[in-house]
Structure formats: structure tokens, C-alpha cells
Amino acid sequence: MLTLITFPPGLGEPSHSPFCAKAMILLQMSGLKWRREDIANPSSMPHGRLPVLQTAGDIIPDSEFIQDWLTKQGADLFPSCTEEQKAIGHSVIKMVEETIRIALIHDRWLDDQNWAHIGPLFFAEVPRPIRKLIASVARRSVRAGLKSNGFVRLSAEQRLQKVENDLHALGKIIGTNPFVLGGAPTAVDATVLPVLSMIDRLPVETGLTRTIRSKDWVVPYLERGRSTLYAGLV
């Protein structure tokens, strides 16, 4: 049986990580038998990150490579989609992962009100005497990463405008469809749903949560996605 090594669940989500939740949804879509193994510290994993899929003969890191592997096993993760739709889907995945997900990271880790809830949750398994220190070191590392890629250098208004631009494009692609590429969920929804859902479930409301909820398609999409794609995962 396949084993997905992942971060634990929390805040109503299958995992703390949208990438881990994505991998879980892809595995569910594949129809293959799998189980999850939750760990809090991924330092011993390839790249020091999660998710990681253990197969009978290999260890596959990264949700994108897990998706590729599942496709090679015969999983149809884009049912009834044309090659053009698959290309659009790939672009949507990158857009969501590279901007909207980064905004989620910002509000989880750098918004003090949210961090007061998120920090204790993410580092619950660290021994209490060093928990605050380890959490602070990790938070500084995240801040440095967001500064390096430029996101934290933007004003709050500029950050939200980037998200607004992507949500507008995503809404145009979805249109009146139940899911991103049509009537059935695809690998694209395995990416989009966790990111938007985790923003919606931030412990404290921010400009980011208000921005996504302002789109008339987002809340119905979250309701459909959670009932369909999170079934059996939370």
C-alpha cells in the first residue's frame, strides 16, 4: 500500500499544508489504496519538505511529482479534459501556488493575530521548554523567504491587488462550472480548493479572507469542493 507522509490536520483541513492536502485529494482521485502517516518535523525527508509518497520501490517528494507518478500509473486526474484544458489547468495551478498560496503563508505566519493561533497549532509537538524558540526561528525564516521573493516588500494594498487579479482570472475560467475545468473535479481543484479553503478558515479575519469571500463564486465552490474532495479526509 502507498504511504503519504504528511503534516497533521488542523482547523478543519486535512493537513496544515495545502500541498499535503493536494496530494491526498490526488490519491483519492487515483483510486489507489493508500494510507497517511503524519509527522511534524520533515527535516529527514527529501528536500526537508512534505508531502512525500512512499511506494513499493521509491520515495517521491513534492505534490507535483506525486501527481506525475500517479498519472504514469494510469490515474486520470483530468477526466474528459482536452489537451488545451490541461494546459490551462497547469497554468492555474502555478498561479494559485505562486501568488494566492503565498498570501496565505503571509497571513498565517506574519499576521500577529493569526499567528497567536497558528503558532501553537503548528508547533504543538515541540517540547514546551523550546517550543517558543523553535517557533520564533521558523517564523523569522518564513519572513526572510517572503522578503526574498518580494511579497513582504509590498504594501498590504498591493498584496491584495495581486490576489484580486488572480481571483478575477480564476473566476473567468470557472465561469458557471461547478469546478475549475468543468462539471467534474480535476487535479486543478486539488490545488485550488485547499488554498482557498485554508484562507477562508484563517482563525482571524484579514483583508485576504474578505477578498476571497467577496467573490460570488468562491463560497459555493468551497462548499462543493469540501463536500466532494474532502470526503473521507477530514
Side-chain angles (χ1 to χ4, degrees):
M1 181 183 292
L2 302 172
T3 298
L4 183 71
I5 304 174
T6 176
F7 286 114
L11 300 175
E13 298 294 313
S15 171
H16 299 329
S17 161
F19 288 123
C20 291
K22 170 186 174 181
M24 293 179 198
I25 295 170
L26 293 173
L27 283 161
Q28 292 285 73
M29 287 181 173
S30 76
L32 298 173
K33 291 184 178 181
W34 65 284
R35 68 179 188 91
R36 65 183 290 168
E37 178 182 328
D38 294 344
I39 64 172
N41 183 357
S43 60
S44 64
M45 295 291 105
H47 312 152
R49 303 177 69 181
L50 295 175
V52 169
L53 182 65
Q54 289 184 336
T55 73
D58 204 358
I59 296 178
I60 304 164
D62 194 285
S63 62
E64 183 172 351
F65 298 145
I66 292 171
Q67 178 179 324
D68 291 343
W69 185 87
L70 291 171
T71 299
K72 290 175 183 176
Q73 308 313 302
D76 184 3
L77 304 177
F78 289 89
S80 303
C81 288
T82 65
E83 291 303 313
E84 181 180 5
Q85 286 176 309
K86 292 178 183 178
I88 292 171
H90 179 79
S91 299
V92 169
I93 289 171
K94 294 303 178 184
M95 176 179 72
V96 170
E97 290 181 345
E98 296 303 321
T99 299
I100 304 178
R101 182 187 64 86
I102 298 302
L104 166 65
I105 292 173
H106 177 278
D107 280 21
R108 275 180 162 183
W109 288 76
L110 302 189
D111 179 89
D112 289 337
Q113 292 186 72
N114 274 298
W115 180 249
H117 298 271
I118 295 290
L121 178 66
F122 282 7
F123 295 91
E125 295 190 22
V126 177
R128 187 177 295 276
I130 60 170
R131 185 180 302 161
K132 187 175 181 180
L133 172 63
I134 297 300
S136 296
V137 170
R139 195 183 189 199
R140 286 198 298 271
S141 177
V142 170
R143 184 185 295 275
L146 292 181
K147 185 175 182 180
S148 177
N149 71 16
F151 195 78
V152 81
R153 299 174 187 268
L154 304 175
S155 68
E157 292 76 14
Q158 289 171 327
R159 291 194 294 269
L160 290 179
Q161 186 59 55
K162 279 182 169 285
V163 173
E164 177 77 29
N165 293 343
D166 283 358
L167 289 173
H168 176 76
L170 184 53
K172 291 297 183 182
I173 292 170
I174 292 177
T176 59
N177 293 326
F179 295 98
V180 176
L181 296 180
T186 67
V188 185
D189 299 286
T191 294
V192 174
L193 174 66
V195 172
L196 295 184
S197 184
M198 290 179 191
I199 292 172
D200 182 58
R201 284 174 167 160
L202 281 168
V204 179
E205 186 179 77
T206 66
L208 179 61
T209 59
R210 290 191 291 272
T211 296
I212 71 159
R213 292 170 187 162
S214 72
K215 306 303 174 186
D216 58 7
W217 60 269
V218 169
V219 172
Y221 175 81
L222 290 177
E223 291 174 350
R224 284 191 299 272
R226 287 167 178 162
S227 64
T228 303
L229 300 179
Y230 279 2
L233 298 179
V234 293

